């Protein structure tokens, strides 16, 4: 049987990145005189990559951007964020222990994030977590990004997984939608950056702590989902 594949979102799911995102974003927008944003604003800004985050932050502060301004601002953000990695960023409590359990049970792991792939890989490497993952894909890996199903399906393919034995874990609407669009069950975590309660997004399951992320839960979700979708089970 093909091993189960557990695919994680990055920011707000795998890693608590909020302090470093806010610091780099404020450093970036200060260059054009935009007032800083706060952690409370973050839920409205993240999820679609750095470029959209910069655009949204400027819009939030009443400073719409011309498209020609974006490349320089994006480069400023990337440089500051990269130079300060890993900064305050850390895995959420009990994440590493949960991943160890999943790997010991024979599961594959992957990351599917809208963060630029280079930034994601660099950050994961700085935190010495790269060896856990069979694939890491970002918002620029393919021609599409979450919630487009092809982002997740491409990640599954790169990880050597089977869509019928995959679970997506995330903290935002993009993660729940990409799972739904790809036809896989989803787990939502409420400690990330969603601007609405994750329960309202329609995930297959919700966990409040990574202590709850067990091989038994993954297998249960896959079995239940397959039973409820006979067409998927038939391939």
């Amino acid at each position: 049987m093909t091993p189960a594949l557990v695919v994680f979102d990055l920011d707000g799911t795998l890693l608590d990145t909020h302090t470093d995102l806010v610091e780099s974003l404020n450093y970036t927008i200060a260059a054009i005189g935009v007032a800083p944003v706060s952690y409370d604003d973050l839920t409205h800004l993240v999820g679609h990559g750095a470029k959209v985050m910069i655009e949204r932050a400027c819009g939030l502060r009443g400073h719409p951007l011309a498209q020609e301004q974006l490349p320089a601002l994006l480069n400023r953000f990337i440089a500051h964020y990269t130079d300060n990695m890993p900064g305050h960023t850390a895995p959420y409590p009990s994440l590493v222990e949960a991943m160890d359990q999943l790997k010991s049970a024979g599961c594959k792991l992957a990351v599917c994030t809208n963060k630029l792939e280079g930034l994601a890989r660099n950050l994961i490497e700085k935190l010495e977590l790269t060896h856990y993952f069979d694939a890491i894909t970002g918002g620029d890996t393919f021609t599409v990004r979450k919630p487009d199903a092809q982002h997740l399906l491409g990640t599954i393919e790169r990880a050597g997984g089977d869509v019928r034995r995959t679970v997506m874990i995330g903290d935002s609407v993009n993660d729940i939608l990409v799972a739904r669009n790809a036809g896989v069950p989803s787990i939502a975590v409420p400690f990330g950056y969603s601007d609405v309660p994750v329960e309202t997004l329609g995930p297959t399951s919700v966990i409040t702590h990574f202590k709850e992320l067990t091989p038994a839960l993954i297998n249960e979700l896959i079995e239940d989902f397959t039973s409820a979708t006979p067409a998927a089970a038939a391939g």
Side-chain angles (χ1 to χ4, degrees), residues 128-211:
E128 300 182 349
L129 299 174
T130 305
H131 64 283
Y132 282 101
F133 302 109
D134 295 278
I136 298 170
T137 68
D140 58 339
T141 304
F142 307 108
T143 57
V144 296
R145 58 174 59 190
K146 295 183 296 185
D148 191 298
Q150 293 304 317
H151 189 174
L152 179 53
L153 293 172
T155 304
I156 294 169
E157 182 179 2
R158 288 194 176 199
D162 183 336
V163 68
R164 295 166 294 186
R165 293 189 51 75
T166 297
V167 176
M168 177 75 203
I169 304 179
D171 69 310
S172 74
V173 63
N174 278 341
D175 304 312
I176 307 309
L177 283 178
V178 77
R180 189 175 304 152
N181 293 340
V184 305
S186 59
I187 297 174
V189 295
F191 42 73
Y193 311 143
S194 176
D195 57 352
V196 298
V198 292
E199 296 84 355
T200 67
L201 301 176
T204 313
S205 181
V206 176
I207 59 172
T208 59
H209 196 283
F210 276 121
K211 287 181 179 178

Side-chain angles (χ1 to χ4, degrees), residues 24-214:
S24 290
L25 181 58
N26 284 335
Y27 172 82
T28 299
I29 62 179
I32 53 172
V34 176
V37 299
S38 69
Y39 171 70
D40 291 336
D41 299 317
L42 198 61
T43 57
H44 303 283
L45 302 175
V46 300
H48 292 273
K51 184 167 78 73
V52 174
M53 186 165 61
I54 294 165
E55 289 176 312
R56 287 180 173 178
C58 291
L60 187 68
R61 292 293 181 257
H63 193 296
L65 283 178
Q67 285 301 305
E68 57 267 23
Q69 292 178 281
L70 270 171
L73 290 173
L74 181 59
N75 288 339
R76 181 177 170 90
F77 176 90
I78 290 171
H80 186 271
Y81 192 64
T82 301
D83 288 347
N84 289 280
M85 282 183 182
H88 303 282
T89 292
Y92 281 101
S94 296
L95 168 74
V96 171
E97 293 83 353
M99 293 197 300
D100 283 334
Q101 280 192 48
L102 292 170
K103 295 291 279 187
S104 294
C107 295
K108 289 175 172 282
L109 306 180
V111 172
C112 179
T113 175
N114 278 346
K115 200 186 206 83
L116 295 171
E117 182 183 334
L119 291 181
R121 286 184 177 276
N122 198 353
L123 182 56
I124 291 168
E125 183 178 346
K126 295 278 189 183
L127 293 168
E128 300 182 349
L129 299 174
T130 305
H131 64 283
Y132 282 101
F133 302 109
D134 295 278
I136 298 170
T137 68
D140 58 339
T141 304
F142 307 108
T143 57
V144 296
R145 58 174 59 190
K146 295 183 296 185
D148 191 298
Q150 293 304 317
H151 189 174
L152 179 53
L153 293 172
T155 304
I156 294 169
E157 182 179 2
R158 288 194 176 199
D162 183 336
V163 68
R164 295 166 294 186
R165 293 189 51 75
T166 297
V167 176
M168 177 75 203
I169 304 179
D171 69 310
S172 74
V173 63
N174 278 341
D175 304 312
I176 307 309
L177 283 178
V178 77
R180 189 175 304 152
N181 293 340
V184 305
S186 59
I187 297 174
V189 295
F191 42 73
Y193 311 143
S194 176
D195 57 352
V196 298
V198 292
E199 296 84 355
T200 67
L201 301 176
T204 313
S205 181
V206 176
I207 59 172
T208 59
H209 196 283
F210 276 121
K211 287 181 179 178
E212 301 170 53
L213 181 60
T214 62

